[in-house]
């Protein structure tokens, strides 16, 4: 009888212990244990990572509770380190990737915004992704030609050019912004690209991904071999024809499909 009571007590204790352990992993308990701020930071970091992985798509605004976190990341040394690491991978790829034929048909593609030029100064004054993108306002800022260069890609740009590859800039900017874009690029140190492709009136009805795919097909039709693409949006890479390698730079402020 005593043995039965003892076994019953042990069984009840084990059940309670398992229940307490399970309950300890409840998100509400985690907030009480580590503080709401810790859980919010984890949530926002998870959101940002899944944007970069292209698991979260088509968002129009950054979640309000994460705007401050995204702002801190995009202006932090971690953003710079993440970008520089991506560029290091490009440099490593370049050491063995490209058997140039010397016929002037070896090509590399760069996006422009948040790849060569930074729009972070604009978003610092316009909600850092927490507000729906105002294209009119952004284009007015672009007309000022004040976007700073991203130093890590500026160096890479010239390294790729010096290797003998033809550089093509394929941007989702409108054709009406051409002179302002060219002025801005030259002002901050970019020069010697082969072509700057912008969206004409007929392209504005296309999704960004389809427009950029169309632009790459044009290069292929001209006989170019596309060794690589660098951009901050998945729409810079998706769809045929593809490059031999693609490299994505971080940007979780906005999403361009």
């Amino acid at each position: 009888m005593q043995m039965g009571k003892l076994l019953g007590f042990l069984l009840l204790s084990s059940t309670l212990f398992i229940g307490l352990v399970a309950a300890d992993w409840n998100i509400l308990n985690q907030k009480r244990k580590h503080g709401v701020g810790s859980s919010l930071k984890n949530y926002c970091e998870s959101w940002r990572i899944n944007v970069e992985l292209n698991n979260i798509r088509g968002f129009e605004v950054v979640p309000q509770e994460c705007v401050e976190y995204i702002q801190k990341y995009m202006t932090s040394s971690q953003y710079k380190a993440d970008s520089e690491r991506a560029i290091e991978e490009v440099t490593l790829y370049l050491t063995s990737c490209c058997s140039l034929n010397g016929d002037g048909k070896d090509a590399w593609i760069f996006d422009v915004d948040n790849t060569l030029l930074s729009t972070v100064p604009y978003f610092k004054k316009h909600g850092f992704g927490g507000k729906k993108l105002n294209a009119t306002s952004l284009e007015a800022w672009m007309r000022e030609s004040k976007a700073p260069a991203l130093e890590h890609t500026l160096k890479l740009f010239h390294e790729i050019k010096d290797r003998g590859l033809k550089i093509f800039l394929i941007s989702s900017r409108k054709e009406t912004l051409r002179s302002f874009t060219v002025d801005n690029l030259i002002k901050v140190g970019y020069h010697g690209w082969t072509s700057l492709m912008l969206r004409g009136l007929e392209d504005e009805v296309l999704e960004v991904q389809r427009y950029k795919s169309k632009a790459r097909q044009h290069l292929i039709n001209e006989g170019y071999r596309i060794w690589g693409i660098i951009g901050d949006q998945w729409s810079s890479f998706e769809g045929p024809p593809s490059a031999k390698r693609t490299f994505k730079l971080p940007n979780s402020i906005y999403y361009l499909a």
Side-chain angles (χ1 to χ4, degrees):
M1 186 69 177
Q2 292 295 326
M3 182 62 72
K5 288 182 177 179
L6 178 59
L7 288 173
F9 174 76
L10 290 173
L11 181 61
L12 178 62
S13 298
S14 297
T15 301
L16 287 172
F17 177 74
I18 292 172
L20 287 171
V21 170
D24 186 53
W25 286 102
N26 183 284
I27 186 63
L28 296 177
N29 287 332
Q30 291 301 301
K31 287 183 177 180
R32 285 193 289 268
K33 183 177 180 181
H34 300 293
V36 175
S38 176
S39 293
L40 181 58
K41 180 180 179 181
N42 291 344
Y43 166 76
C44 292
E45 174 64 5
S46 177
W47 184 87
R48 185 186 71 78
I49 289 295
N50 277 278
V51 167
E52 299 300 346
L53 292 173
N54 207 27
N55 293 331
I56 296 175
R57 305 180 182 187
F59 66 91
E60 292 188 339
V61 295
V62 173
Q64 285 299 314
E65 61 269 34
C66 296
V67 170
E68 183 178 356
Y69 174 82
I70 296 301
Q71 177 175 358
K72 286 181 178 178
Y73 170 75
M74 291 296 294
T75 56
S76 71
S77 59
Q78 186 61 56
Y79 165 74
K80 182 179 179 182
D82 292 345
S83 299
E84 289 175 347
R85 180 54 194 269
I87 297 303
E88 287 173 8
E89 292 300 317
V90 179
T91 302
L92 182 63
Y93 169 67
L94 286 169
T95 60
S96 60
C97 75
C98 314
S99 301
L100 305 187
N101 290 352
D103 59 359
K105 293 296 185 178
D106 294 293
W108 194 282
I109 294 173
F110 282 88
D111 188 8
V112 174
D113 291 308
N114 295 302
T115 299
L116 298 180
L117 302 174
S118 174
T119 64
V120 168
Y122 171 83
F123 284 102
K124 277 184 178 179
K125 299 179 179 179
H126 296 86
F128 247 98
K131 301 176 182 178
K132 190 172 180 179
L133 184 62
N134 184 325
T136 302
S137 173
L138 178 58
E139 288 173 9
W141 180 81
M142 290 175 174
R143 290 174 186 275
E144 297 177 3
S145 302
K146 293 181 179 179
L150 289 167
E151 294 299 329
H152 40 272
T153 42
L154 175 59
K155 180 180 178 182
L156 179 69
F157 175 96
H158 289 293
E159 179 182 342
I160 290 175
K161 179 166 60 70
D162 292 343
R163 285 176 178 267
L165 286 94
K166 301 295 184 180
I167 293 180
F168 292 87
L169 312 183
I170 303 180
S171 173
S172 59
R173 290 189 179 198
K174 294 179 180 179
E175 179 63 39
T176 54
L177 293 170
R178 176 171 295 276
S179 63
F180 307 103
T181 303
V182 170
D183 287 348
N184 199 157
L185 287 165
I186 293 175
K187 186 187 302 182
V188 298
Y190 296 102
H191 55 81
W193 63 81
T194 299
S195 178
L196 169 63
M197 298 181 172
L198 303 177
R199 298 174 81 179
L201 287 175
E202 70 279 8
D203 298 316
E204 291 181 24
V205 298
L206 300 176
E207 292 181 338
V208 173
Q209 181 269 314
R210 289 188 61 196
Y211 152 69
K212 292 195 172 185
S213 180
K214 175 185 171 185
R216 292 195 302 275
Q217 187 61 59
H218 173 74
L219 295 180
I220 295 295
N221 293 345
E222 292 289 320
Y224 286 99
R225 297 173 291 275
I226 305 175
W227 289 97
I229 304 173
I230 305 176
D232 67 297
Q233 298 288 321
W234 284 95
S235 53
S236 293
F237 319 123
E238 294 178 324
S242 60
K244 296 184 183 297
R245 279 291 302 271
T246 59
F247 299 88
K248 187 181 182 304
L249 296 175
N251 179 9
S252 40
I253 301 175
Y254 57 83
Y255 185 93
L256 290 179

